[in-house]
Amino acid sequence: MDIRHMVEEGVLHVALLHDLDVTSRAAASLELEMLLFTHRPHHVRIQLPTSDPSPASVSVLARARRMCEGLGIPLTVVGPAAPHPPRSPAAA
């Protein structure tokens, strides 16, 4: 599985779990397309796994933009989640 998703209050939240390569690009695009047509969200939010995505990840993002634009669905793209700082034993 290349993506994780959640639908919350009409928003489809999609996270790419890792930077995609050529072999995983098509599967991720098809999965995203299926999610759009299944859930019919009011908004789509895609979270990229890195701040410098691979060409295959950018390709999936471009395809998602075209699909959302064609369906009249706003799309938001965000960068990777901020890493949690390590907990010190004294703070536990």
Side-chain angles (χ1 to χ4, degrees):
M1 174 106 22
D2 296 316
I3 66 174
R4 181 180 63 227
H5 78 281
M6 175 179 77
V7 179
E8 184 176 54
E9 297 181 18
V11 178
L12 174 62
H13 298 270
V14 177
L16 295 179
L17 298 178
H18 54 84
D19 217 9
L20 301 174
D21 57 19
V22 172
T23 58
S24 58
R25 176 183 62 194
S29 290
L30 287 174
E31 191 171 352
L32 184 58
E33 183 176 0
M34 185 252 340
L35 289 170
L36 286 171
F37 288 114
T38 299
H39 295 290
R40 302 276 183 191
H42 300 292
H43 189 94
V44 176
R45 178 185 175 272
I46 298 179
Q47 182 176 16
L48 298 174
T50 67
S51 57
D52 186 24
S54 68
S57 292
V58 172
S59 174
V60 168
L61 181 59
R63 183 176 173 101
R65 184 191 62 79
R66 287 190 304 272
M67 284 189 286
C68 286
E69 191 175 86
L71 294 169
I73 301 171
L75 172 68
T76 302
V77 179
V78 297
H84 297 288
R87 291 177 53 142
S88 65

